[in-house]
Every structure is written in C-alpha cells, then in structure tokens.
Amino acid sequence: MHNPLLKPFNTPFNSFPFENINQEDFKPAILDGIAQAKQEIAQIVNNPADPTFDNTIIALEKAGKPLHVIAEGFFNINSAETNDYLQNLAQELSPLLAAYGNDITLNESLFQRIKKVFNDTPKSSLSEEEYRLLDKTYKSFTRNGALLDAVQKERLRYIDKELSTLKVKFSQNVLHETNAYTLHITSEQDMDGLPESVKSVAKEEAEKRGVEGWIFTLQFPSMMPFMKYAKKRNLRKELYLASSKKAFNKNEYDNEECVRKIVALRQERAELLGYETHAHFILEERMATEPKQVEDFLHNLLIKAKPFAQKEIDQLRHIASADDIDELMPYDHAYYVEKLREAKYNFSEEALKPYFPLESVIKAAFDVANRLYGLTFDRRNDIQKYHQEVDVFEVSENGKHKALLYVDWFPREGKRAGAWMTSYRGQSKFEGQNIRPHISIVCNFSRPYEDIPSLLTFNEVTTLFHEFGHALHGIMADTVYESLSGTNVYWDFVELPSQFMENYCYDKTFLSSFAKHYKTGEPLPLVEIDKIVASANFMEAYQTLRQLSFGLLDLAYHTNQLRPDDAIAEFERRIVAETQLYPAVEGTAMSPSFSHIFPGGYSAGYYSYKWAEVLDADAYAYFREKGIFNREIAEKFKVLLSKGGTVDPMQLYKDFRGRKPSIDALLKRAGLISN
C-alpha cells in the first residue's frame, strides 16, 4: 500500500506532506516506524564491538528518526485540526508509543553499553556538547527505570501506558466540553455594553450555526470580550460558570477521576524510581533543583505581591459599589478591570484593536527578529499545510535558508484552546548534514469577518510576541544533536526567550512603528501609546497572585498532598487560599481543565513562568541599558538561543549577562518595589 509517510518526503525542504496523506496513513506509518526503530536498537545491542560513544550514544541518537517525525506530526495535527477518528487513534497509539519508549529505556543490554561508555569515557576526550549528550542519555535511562528489577520494570511499563492513555483522554474531554457549550442570546437588551465589533462576530457565529441572535462560545476570542463588556451580570456569571466547570460536570467528559489517577500514578512512578515525590523527580533536571526552592520562590513573591494585589481589588470594589454590588465575584473581575483601566488610563483594549490588525503585528514581530538577528521571513505558497488557514514562511539569515515557520491563528472546532509553539522537524548537524528546523505557532485569535481583518487586543499582541519568542528559540537552534537542540532545555529556562519578546510590545518607539489604523493607516496617537506603556504593570500584582496560585496548586499535586478523601474543588481551595482575593464559586474547579500540568509538560513546573520572568526582566534591562536593538547584545542573546541544551542554562545566562540574574528588574517592572 502506498503510504507517503513511509518514504522520504518529496516536498520543498522535505516538509511534512500534509496534503499527500490520508488520516488512515498514520497508524501503519507509526507501527512501521516502531518496528524500524526496534531493529536499529537491536543493531546497537548486538554490535560485537566494545561500546563507544559513536557506536552506542550516537547510534541511539540517530535511531527512530522517521518515527519521531511521523509521531510528532500526528500529535501536532491532533492538537490543531482533530476529529473523532484522530482522537480515537491517539487513544490507541499513545500506549503503543509509551511501550516503545519503555522498550528502549528498560532494555538491560542497551543500558549496560551506555553505562560502560558513561563510566569509561574520560570527559576530556569529548566536546562539551558530546559530554552533555552522554550525560543526558545516561540519566534518561537511570531516571526512567534502567536500575529497576524485572517486577518493578513491569509495573513501570503499566504506569507509563496508563498515563499516556489518561493524558490523551484528559485533553479530549476538555476539547469536547469547550466545543459543547454556547451562550445563545436572542434579546438585544442582553447585549448591552458590548462593542459593535463584538456583536458582529457573535452575530456571524449565530448565522453559521443557523440560529437567530448572537452566539458566544468558550473560545477565548469569543468569551473574553463578553466578560469584559457585558453589563448583564447574570450572563457573565453563566459564561464564567460554563468555563470554570469544563470537564467538571459529572458527565462522561468529567476529568476529576483523570486528575486523581494521573497524580497517583505519577507519585507511584516517582517512588518506584527512588524519589520522594514526582516534583523531586522532575526538579532534579531543572534550574530550581528541588521542591523547597520552588516553594520558597513562590511564597517570597506572594509576600511581596499580595498587599499590592489587595489594593488593586479594593479599587475594583470601589467602582463596583456604584453598581450596587456588595460582594465582588470572579465573574465580575474582567468587567471592572476594564472599567478601572478606562478610568485610570482613559482607554480600552477594544478601542485599540483597530490599530493592531494581525498582519501588521506579524510584520512587527518579524521586524524585531530582523533588527536583532538579521532574519527575514518570506511567505511560501508551495509548502503543504494541514489547513487552508495556515500560512508558511521561509526564514533566511544572510540569504541562506534558516527554517520554515508555520502560523495558524484562528480558533476552530478541531483545535484545542490556548496558544503554543511546536515543531514538525528538529535541528541537527552531524555526519555532513545540516538539518534545519520546521517550527509551528498555533493560536486562537479573533477571526476576520466581512471586510474587517483580524484585529487583536493588546493582550493578543503580547501573546503573538510570546509564541514568536518560542519560535525564535527553535529557529535559531544551532547544535550538533537534535535531542539538545532548540527548546530541548530545562523547562524553567524555556520561557525566557518567549517572555523576553513580550517586552518589545511596551517600547514607545517600536509600538509607534506598527500600531496603525487598519482603515486609514493613521498611527496610534502618542498619547494612547503613553497610556499603554503607563499601564504595563496594570493589575500586575493580581496577575502575579493568579500565576502563583497555579504554581502552588501544581506543586501541591506533585508533592503528594492530595489525600484520597479530598474532593478536587476543596483541595484546590485549601491549597490556593492564601492567593485568593475573591470568594470561591460553588461547583467550579480549574484542575479538570488544567491542561498545562496534566496532559501537558508542566507538571511540577508551572512555577517556570514566574521563574523565567526573573530572567527575562533582567535580560531586557540589559538591552534597555545598551539599546533595545543593540546588535552586540543581540549577538550574545543569539548565542544563548542557539545553544539549546548543550550548556547548563545558568552558565548560558551568565555568559550572556556577565552575572547571575537579579530579581530586582522583575520587581521594578511589576511595580512591587520603587524604581
């Protein structure tokens, strides 16, 4: 049977052949890839020659490359353009791929070869990158069961198989619950307060669904404007409840039991491997090396931020009192934040949207990359893509091909919520081949409608720059080995490049260069730009508390604090109580839709966002000292981006900055200490 996934991709730059494949091609291709990879592993194990770095470590690095590309492509598509068939297939293939991974890490003969190379190879005989690969390979085996006995290995296999299935199920339940709900409004009075542009999009959504009136969904571009502007408090509450009860509705898509099982299995797995908790296991390979360090970091920030956050909420309560609201609730927050923003700075995000058409913001992000790193981005129409809305750009440096960048901006029924960066092909350069990466950004921004282009809120502008920062980390990758390339770094370091890029959104000169009205071309008035910059840390203390609550909840789950008799909602409230400034809303829980830490890769690592803020604030302060487009400093930051995981992240940062990061820049930026 002809299967384009099983042959070299006959496409420009060997890009993923999206338009040549059928969804039925994935299963046989992945099964074939597993069989081929197992043969490659067998060749390593059965090699009669003594184990060496080349015939064992390098051979293992090369093994299974076709499988990796196919599986990565499948799961990327399952996140961005899924359907029932792909979701069922993900449930079927995930445990098979988990079993394949165990077949490698639990292969005793293979581990003995790796162990011998690790013990017998002088560090001085290897380059720094070669030693990092050797060390990472050895630890990937010891940290994943190579030292267990036969009975323990079988239990580990069972745990990993169950976890792979549960994580897919968790994601699918969240997607279903997101798509299943609509707020259908038929009365013009219920639309009171909403801008005309928001009404028009909701009207178009209703027409697409063949109903009268207006439709709002749980997709962020639909839900968030409603929460900001709708005067009808009961409707804000209804939409808030629907969002806050996703996968927590006591139906077949309820994730509460999934949460319990995932947490319990991760804890059992950690103990099996000799760790006190899952967090201890995870943090062994992070800049923050153990749970106590993370806990102290989060609580220190909490102590600094909470008094400021309380003052922010008091301001909202004062405004709400004019509407005879005695007790401010979470579903009031966005509405009164917008009112406070208008009162303090005399602007609203909705009023600024015409100055941020998507195409202009994309060009602005590309401009930053050009001015800092000399990159250019050219749209390609000959590269295959998985959906007609996807655009593809060829990235070049000094006229030479650097990468492909896929961008996918708008929500669809088959796309999970949120924004993320991923890759379809990694970067490497050894054995005479220079393989350049294929990077993807996926978001859920407001769609264009009628003759109006996609117009972004300022929050969406920063989201685009954030994900583009991740993309640059992948694009700039320049290492020998793919497993150490690009974003294959410690997870509390991976957010540095993304959060660093957000800083450019608040530079007055840069903002004025691209914030122009989509109809008239009129620049955003300087007085409005001043307001944006002045509001840079608006409600920052409250947002800090919110992020800290997520980090503390994540840490609690993964330091074995969930008791068997704990109800998930009650557990949440107990753990995050000191971060909460609003009353709890009965019947809600965020854990069942907390995709970052359950199916995602941030378990025991959600603190990374705040941790990396220390790094990004300090890094950008360096640029501000020297000039935000200073090419000499940019060249040093480019080295940081290009090195991936080949150098310890703290050493990478010190090489860039000349010292360790200081938290002062973050505290000043957040308004938590005086300048």
Side-chain angles (χ1 to χ4, degrees):
M1 181 178 70
H2 172 68
N3 189 330
L5 291 171
L6 295 176
K7 298 179 179 180
F9 299 163
N10 186 24
T11 54
F13 307 111
N14 294 316
S15 57
F16 206 85
F18 297 106
E19 297 162 24
N20 295 344
I21 60 177
N22 297 311
Q23 57 187 13
E24 292 80 9
D25 292 331
F26 279 113
K27 181 178 177 179
I30 286 176
L31 293 178
D32 187 272
I34 290 174
Q36 179 183 331
K38 285 183 174 180
Q39 289 179 0
E40 292 168 339
I41 297 299
Q43 290 173 1
I44 299 171
V45 170
N46 296 325
N47 189 336
D50 286 341
T52 65
F53 183 80
D54 286 338
N55 70 23
T56 301
I57 307 302
I58 296 296
L60 182 59
E61 172 75 7
K62 291 164 58 179
K65 289 298 182 189
L67 171 63
H68 175 75
V69 170
I70 297 165
E72 192 81 0
F74 169 72
F75 285 104
N76 285 344
I77 293 170
N78 189 50
S79 291
E81 185 58 22
T82 194
N83 55 43
D84 289 343
Y85 178 87
L86 292 179
Q87 290 188 38
N88 290 332
L89 189 57
Q91 287 272 19
E92 181 181 354
L93 292 177
S94 292
L96 296 179
L97 289 165
Y100 158 73
N102 287 144
D103 286 342
I104 295 175
T105 55
L106 301 179
N107 185 316
E108 180 63 26
S109 299
L110 178 61
F111 175 63
Q112 289 306 319
R113 291 184 68 90
I114 293 167
K115 184 179 179 181
K116 184 168 177 55
V117 177
F118 183 77
N119 289 333
D120 294 354
T121 305
K123 187 175 181 179
S124 59
S125 69
L126 302 175
S127 69
E128 183 176 18
E129 183 171 345
E130 287 172 337
Y131 183 76
R132 292 282 290 188
L133 179 65
L134 174 58
D135 185 63
K136 181 176 181 177
T137 302
Y138 179 75
K139 285 179 179 176
S140 73
F141 277 72
T142 58
R143 284 171 48 81
N144 286 285
L147 301 177
L148 301 180
D149 62 32
V151 174
Q152 292 171 323
K153 285 180 178 179
E154 281 307 305
R155 183 60 187 173
L156 188 72
R157 284 180 179 275
Y158 171 80
I159 291 171
D160 287 348
K161 179 182 177 182
E162 287 294 296
L163 282 171
S164 68
T165 302
L166 286 166
K167 288 191 284 187
V168 171
K169 181 181 179 183
F170 187 105
S171 294
Q172 292 176 355
N173 287 346
V174 173
L175 179 62
H176 179 275
E177 293 275 276
T178 301
N179 289 334
Y181 176 85
T182 59
L183 175 63
H184 183 197
I185 294 177
T186 56
S187 168
E188 183 81 45
Q189 288 183 333
D190 288 341
M191 301 291 285
D192 195 16
L194 292 168
E196 287 303 318
S197 60
V198 175
K199 292 180 182 179
S200 297
V201 173
K203 187 77 171 176
E204 185 178 55
E205 185 65 32
E207 290 170 355
K208 277 170 38 181
R209 296 170 183 258
V211 297
E212 295 293 324
W214 302 266
I215 289 288
F216 292 89
T217 72
L218 297 182
Q219 295 286 359
F220 189 85
S222 178
M223 176 183 170
M224 203 60 224
F226 192 90
M227 298 303 293
K228 280 185 178 181
Y229 300 110
K231 289 186 177 180
K232 288 294 183 74
R233 193 185 191 208
N234 63 312
L235 293 177
R236 295 201 308 269
K237 179 179 180 180
E238 180 179 337
L239 196 56
Y240 170 85
L241 285 172
S243 177
S244 302
K245 294 173 70 173
K246 276 188 298 188
F248 190 57
N249 283 304
K250 309 303 179 187
N251 57 20
E252 61 181 304
Y253 303 104
D254 193 293
N255 270 338
E256 184 167 4
E257 194 57 31
C258 251
V259 168
R260 291 184 181 284
K261 288 180 178 178
I262 290 172
V263 169
L265 288 169
R266 283 174 174 167
Q267 177 62 25
E268 183 185 354
R269 189 182 194 278
E271 291 178 3
L272 194 62
L273 293 168
Y275 295 87
E276 184 179 339
T277 68
H278 178 71
H280 285 84
F281 169 76
I282 292 293
L283 294 171
E284 184 181 61
E285 294 285 285
R286 297 291 188 269
M287 293 179 76
T289 55
E290 47 93 22
K292 182 66 165 59
Q293 188 174 357
V294 173
E295 186 177 5
D296 289 347
F297 170 73
L298 295 175
H299 277 105
N300 285 340
L301 272 179
L302 176 60
I303 291 168
K304 291 179 171 67
K306 191 168 182 176
F308 290 90
Q310 186 64 64
K311 291 177 182 177
E312 291 172 350
I313 300 305
D314 288 344
Q315 292 179 61
L316 298 185
R317 288 195 176 101
H318 177 72
I319 295 177
S321 66
D323 293 335
D324 296 323
I325 292 179
D326 296 326
E327 185 174 45
L328 205 64
M329 298 296 290
Y331 44 83
D332 298 314
H333 180 80
Y335 181 76
Y336 286 104
V337 163
E338 193 61 23
K339 281 187 171 295
L340 180 61
R341 189 199 314 273
E342 291 177 11
K344 289 188 72 169
Y345 305 106
N346 193 29
F347 82 88
S348 71
E349 282 210 315
E350 191 65 25
L352 296 182
K353 283 175 66 175
Y355 294 91
F356 295 115
L358 174 61
E359 283 299 318
S360 296
V361 180
I362 296 168
K363 289 177 183 176
F366 289 172
D367 181 49
V368 174
N370 178 258
R371 295 171 70 178
L372 288 175
Y373 314 119
L375 300 180
T376 57
F377 298 78
D378 297 301
R379 196 183 302 267
R380 295 288 298 249
N381 296 315
D382 58 338
I383 307 295
Q384 295 191 24
K385 48 196 185 181
Y386 57 86
H387 193 276
Q388 63 185 9
E389 292 181 336
V390 174
D391 286 320
V392 188
F393 295 88
E394 181 184 2
V395 187
S396 302
E397 182 181 19
N398 299 322
K400 293 183 179 180
H401 174 75
K402 190 78 170 175
L404 288 182
L405 175 64
Y406 299 80
V407 295
D408 181 1
W409 301 121
F410 308 120
R412 296 184 296 271
E413 188 172 327
K415 182 195 285 190
R416 69 177 172 88
W420 63 95
M421 165 266 178
T422 187
S423 65
Y424 284 91
R425 187 174 79 176
Q427 177 272 327
S428 63
K429 54 174 189 180
F430 70 108
E431 297 185 333
Q433 288 188 305
N434 186 6
I435 306 298
R436 296 308 306 165
H438 297 170
I439 305 299
S440 175
I441 298 174
V442 187
C443 296
N444 283 277
F445 294 150
S446 305
R447 283 183 167 279
Y449 66 96
E450 297 178 353
D451 60 344
I452 299 176
S454 173
L455 302 176
L456 305 189
T457 65
F458 189 72
N459 181 62
E460 288 174 324
V461 172
T462 60
T463 296
L464 189 151
F465 270 69
H466 179 102
E467 298 306 332
F468 185 61
H470 280 309
L472 287 174
H473 202 178
I475 289 166
M476 302 301 291
D478 189 29
T479 66
V480 176
Y481 307 113
E482 183 179 344
S483 64
L484 298 174
S485 176
T487 57
N488 290 312
V489 299
Y490 285 176
W491 279 63
D492 48 8
F493 189 69
V494 78
E495 294 297 335
L496 165 60
S498 56
Q499 293 177 181
F500 169 79
M501 279 294 292
E502 292 183 42
N503 290 285
Y504 284 86
C505 299
Y506 294 95
D507 180 78
K508 293 183 182 181
T509 303
F510 178 63
L511 259 180
S512 65
S513 72
F514 74 91
K516 298 177 182 179
H517 199 284
Y518 78 96
K519 279 186 177 179
T520 65
E522 174 191 357
L524 182 63
L526 287 176
V527 65
E528 299 298 324
I529 290 176
D530 287 340
K531 292 173 185 177
I532 291 175
V533 175
S535 68
N537 61 5
F538 176 61
M539 299 300 295
E540 180 65 24
Y542 175 80
Q543 289 302 323
T544 295
L545 251 64
R546 186 170 180 269
Q547 287 294 97
L548 295 178
S549 73
F550 296 157
L552 290 168
L553 181 61
D554 168 36
L555 193 65
Y557 273 123
H558 295 113
T559 50
N560 202 25
Q561 295 183 48
L562 179 66
R563 300 185 295 251
D565 59 342
D566 277 334
I568 292 297
E570 293 172 3
F571 175 74
E572 278 188 18
R573 289 171 194 170
R574 183 174 79 245
I575 296 302
V576 304
E578 59 186 330
T579 68
Q580 298 304 292
L581 300 177
Y582 287 117
V585 178
E586 203 61 41
T588 64
M590 64 91 62
S591 297
S593 59
F594 199 171
S595 295
H596 271 76
I597 70 167
F598 291 115
Y602 279 85
S603 63
Y606 199 88
Y607 75 93
S608 300
Y609 286 100
K610 297 309 293 185
W611 183 276
E613 277 191 45
V614 174
L615 303 177
D616 95 72
D618 190 64
Y620 192 69
Y622 190 25
F623 273 88
R624 290 187 67 180
E625 291 169 17
K626 307 293 184 180
I628 65 168
F629 291 108
N630 183 293
R631 288 301 292 266
E632 181 182 348
I633 307 303
E635 192 64 30
K636 293 167 69 175
F637 200 69
K638 178 180 174 181
V639 172
L640 179 149
L641 293 174
S642 70
K643 289 288 188 180
T646 62
V647 180
D648 178 83
M650 184 57 77
Q651 186 59 51
L652 260 184
Y653 190 85
K654 288 194 292 185
D655 290 345
F656 158 69
R657 190 68 164 97
R659 58 164 174 75
K660 287 185 176 182
S662 165
I663 197 173
D664 287 351
L666 170 63
L667 297 176
K668 288 178 182 178
R669 186 176 70 184
L672 303 182
I673 59 174
S674 61
N675 294 313

